[in-house]
Amino acid sequence: MLKILFFGDIAGSPGRKAVKQELPKIMESEQPDLVLANVENLAHGKGVTVKTIEELMRAGIQGFTGGNHVFSKKEFSEQALRKYSELIVRPGNIPDTYAGSTAVKIETAKGSVLLGNFLGQVFMDRQFPEAVSSPFSGVDEWLNSHSEKFAAIVVDFHAEATSEKIAFGYYLDGRVAAVLGTHTHIPTADAKVLSQGTAYITDVGMCGAAGSVLGVKKELSLKRFLTGERVAFDIPEDASSAELSYVIITIDEQSAKAISIQAVHKIVGLR
Ligand SMILES: [Fe+2]
Ligand SMILES: [Fe+2]
C-alpha cells in the first residue's frame, strides 16, 4: 500500500511555518511514502522562489504542484521552476512558453508516482493572464503521453467552480489514483473514493494564517469589498495560529487505484 500526504495551498510564511512545525508529528503517526504540497502561494502569498522551495524540501516535502499564481514572482519563480523542474509541476493546459514541467515523476519505495496539475476554466478568466485551454482534453493528451505503468497518478486540479471540479473527478475516475482540488483555500467535506477507484476532494483547503481571508490580511480584503478599490493584498506575517489542511490517500500500487482518502483540517498555534 502506497500512502501519500498532500498539503493544500501553502500561503506565505504562516503556511510554511505551520507545515514545518507539524510535519514531523504527522510523519511519525502516518508514515507516508510520499509528501506533496501545492505551492502556488508559497512566497509571500504568490509564486514560488528557490529559497522557499528549498525551505520545504528541508522540511521533507518531496513534490510540488502549482496553479494560476505559481509564476507570480516573475524571474524568481521561473528560476525555481527551472531549477527544480524534476520536482515542481506547473499547469499543463497553458501555453508552453511558460517555464517549468507539466509532468513530474517521483520514485518512492512502492514505485513511481506521476504528478500533474491542470487549471479550471470556469470563473478563472480574470485569474490568469492568458487563455487556459480545456483541462479535459488536456488531461487526455497528458495521460496518452505518459502511458507507462505507475504505482499512482496524482492530479492537482486547480479550479474555482465546484461543478467543474467534480465533473473533472468523474472524467478521470479509474484513470488516475487521485484528483485533488486546490485554489479556493476553503476545504470541502466531500473527500471520497469514486466508483472506479479514484480518490477525490473538491478542495483540500489551505495551509495559511488563521483569522485571514484565504491567507491574506482580512482588513485588506474587507477594504477591497467595502470600497471597490484595488487594494494590494498582504500576508499576516505575525499570525499566531494557522489553518493546516491536508489529505492522506492510500493506494494499491499494483492496480494504481485508491483505497481511501482522509481529509484533515485543523487550527494550529504557531511557536
Ligand atoms: Fe492558492
Ligand atoms: Fe490559485
Side-chain angles (χ1 to χ4, degrees):
M1 193 184 70
L2 167 66
K3 196 182 232 191
I4 298 177
L5 171 64
F6 181 99
F7 287 103
D9 304 39
I10 301 177
S13 63
R16 300 199 304 276
K17 269 185 224 163
V19 168
K20 283 191 292 182
Q21 179 185 301
E22 298 301 312
L23 186 53
K25 281 178 267 180
I26 304 170
M27 293 300 282
E28 203 176 303
S29 60
E30 297 292 343
Q31 311 217 333
D33 300 292
L34 180 62
V35 185
L36 307 170
N38 180 292
V39 289
E40 70 147 1
N41 309 107
L42 192 64
H44 207 76
K46 277 185 178 181
V48 290
T49 58
V50 167
K51 188 168 163 261
T52 51
I53 286 289
E54 289 179 349
E55 191 180 331
L56 290 192
M57 285 166 68
R58 281 194 297 274
I61 299 186
Q62 297 153 286
F64 307 91
T65 60
N68 56 310
H69 286 311
V70 76
F71 308 99
S72 297
K73 291 287 179 289
K74 306 263 164 63
E75 59 269 34
F76 295 102
S77 291
E78 284 183 16
Q79 186 192 11
L81 287 160
R82 288 207 172 90
K83 181 167 184 187
Y84 292 114
S85 63
E86 289 177 4
L87 300 178
I88 311 172
V89 62
R90 57 93 161 153
N93 54 335
I94 58 172
D96 54 17
T97 46
Y98 280 90
S101 304
T102 56
V104 156
K105 294 170 194 174
I106 303 172
E107 289 307 320
T108 74
K110 312 280 170 61
S112 180
V113 175
L114 177 67
L115 190 57
N117 185 210
F118 289 87
L119 290 183
Q121 290 179 303
V122 181
F123 307 136
M124 293 293 279
D125 47 338
R126 285 187 172 183
Q127 304 195 43
F128 194 72
E130 284 184 69
V132 172
S133 61
S134 167
F136 294 86
S137 56
V139 79
D140 283 341
E141 274 176 45
W142 183 80
L143 285 170
N144 284 337
S145 59
H146 300 287
S147 56
E148 62 265 44
K149 188 168 164 32
F150 293 98
I153 301 174
V154 176
V155 176
D156 171 344
F157 189 39
H158 196 81
E160 186 82 54
T162 50
S163 55
E164 189 180 22
K165 291 168 106 169
I166 182 65
F168 195 72
Y170 288 127
Y171 191 63
L172 289 176
D173 188 15
R175 301 160 73 194
V176 304
V179 174
L180 306 175
T182 59
H183 175 70
T184 72
H185 292 204
I186 301 294
T188 56
D190 63 341
K192 60 196 149 197
V193 178
L194 303 178
S195 64
Q196 303 304 307
T198 295
Y200 172 83
I201 187 167
T202 297
D203 210 294
V204 179
M206 72 161 177
C207 302
S212 68
V213 174
L214 312 183
V216 305
K217 287 181 181 169
K218 60 179 180 293
E219 296 77 13
L220 299 175
S221 176
L222 263 173
K223 191 175 176 197
R224 189 188 279 193
F225 284 112
L226 292 172
T227 65
E229 280 170 39
R230 235 7 236 180
V231 179
F233 283 163
D234 196 13
I235 292 282
E237 300 272 2
D238 56 350
S240 58
S241 58
E243 294 190 27
L244 189 76
S245 302
Y246 58 93
V247 289
I248 296 166
I249 310 149
T250 59
I251 296 155
D252 168 35
E253 66 269 31
Q254 301 305 326
S255 64
K257 293 196 176 190
I259 300 162
S260 69
I261 176 169
Q262 182 201 356
V264 179
H265 174 65
K266 55 187 174 186
I267 307 287
V268 296
L270 296 175
R271 290 191 289 270

